[in-house]
Amino acid sequence: DTAWFAFGSDLMTPHFSRDALLWYIEHLRSDGLVFEFFDIRNGKTEDYGLNVNDDTPLVLIALWHHYCVTGDHAFLERAFPNALRAARFLQSQRDERGLVFCRAAGTGTSGIAGWRNVITGYQLSGATTELNSECYAALRAAACMGRAMGEDAIAKQLDEEAATLREAINAHLLDRSRNLYYLNIDESGAACTDVTCDLVFPVLFGVADHDVATNIVATLSRPEFWTEAGLHTVPRTALEYGPTRGYGLLGGVWGGPTFWFAAATAAYNASFMAYALEVSFRHYAEDPRRYNTVPGQFCEWLHGEALTNQGMMLSPWFAPKYLWTAIEYAAGLHVTEDPPTLEPHLPDEWLWTGVRNVMVRGKDTSWFTVRCGGLVTYATGSFPNVPPERTYDDDVSSDVRVTGDNAAHLALQRAGDIVIVVGNTLDRTIATSLSVDSARVRGSYEVRRYDSLMGEWTEEKRVDAKRLHEGFPVQIARHGFALVELHKASG
């Protein structure tokens, strides 16, 4: 939970992620396993008797993510020695097939190597697709950490280990007759073909080839998996389905899988990604008395049919996952690439999206993407797939004003040039006024404007700064945008 929390927390409260992740990586079990939890009252630890768990790979992935967001090399120097220990531990838990293998003596928390570990009387151990997918991503993350530390030989060896694990997963855990992964191969050697939301993990962590990933996305998009509040943990057609069974982990609706699905499907079906993010959030405000929810606040889990909250009123795990999915998949920030890239995934019905002041390699970064003869992105900072003419130095949104509560705006500046996008958040046309602070503009400007309704550029020569300061009217179609480029006139 701490690791998953960090993916979103890094983007908003990185100081919290740093301290939380360091605690876990600096308090490993003697063999290198990350403990399930610490009792802060007495210092006792818990591993549920498992030889390997999902906590260990998830913390490694989260460590690399934190470094990529913050660029904090001192953090990496402090974390890397123990991160390497944890990676070596994961390597040691591979069986003769090359799969990471969990041995479990019990059921529930003592018998499940994965996120659904509170299902009473249930066992999910052996070689699970979830755990192996996470371990593949963890070894790759550890290799990236090694390269950032200048340990190229270690990085090369970890990359090779990751590659062989991926090969083993696709050789043994992939059922090629269905083009789907087994849930697990249990300790007796039996392969479980149950179809659950856990299918998302080999897509999310880069294990699945394109054709397999496409089939998984299609499978998880079927009606039996979906409600008006998000994704069922198992489909209604499953033999074990029950809307409240196993704390909703055998048929209820948990926010995490919905957001994981949204992230995994972004590159394959952006419209379904948007649908998943929309319905999961909207549900909390639809009828709070009926559903026992708080508007804008993610609860723990929902009854699979009635969609009423059955757990905590405020789950700490889900808001960060939602932000992570929205920023890194919908808005397209690939922060763990070197260098980071922007590849927004906008469904056809989205005409614009924007992000302000998100940390990328330790620097606040803003960007927006609009449909303007294709997807076009403007950004501060340097991204290899954003051309120089759309690369700016600073976010100056606070020096631009628009009227009304339903128009969102973002403004970027370099030297004397400014680009401004104003987006309509409503399902109807709006009129607003756009103005720029007098301290921000001087002299005269050449102005280009793009109207999403008309779908064309218009140009105005020599607009005086006074007019920009006083403001001018802008009409924007439903969910559309207006794009304004200001180029400082010479002479």
Side-chain angles (χ1 to χ4, degrees), residues 283-307:
H283 177 73
Y284 295 93
E286 282 193 338
D287 195 337
R289 289 187 177 181
R290 174 183 175 185
Y291 295 121
N292 190 31
T293 56
V294 177
Q297 180 172 295
F298 293 110
C299 67
E300 189 174 18
W301 64 280
L302 305 171
H303 188 288
E305 300 297 332
L307 303 182

Side-chain angles (χ1 to χ4, degrees), residues 91-105:
Q91 292 174 245
S92 73
Q93 301 305 304
R94 296 171 69 180
D95 64 14
E96 65 280 358
R97 296 164 297 193
L99 296 172
V100 176
F101 196 86
C102 176
R103 295 177 297 278

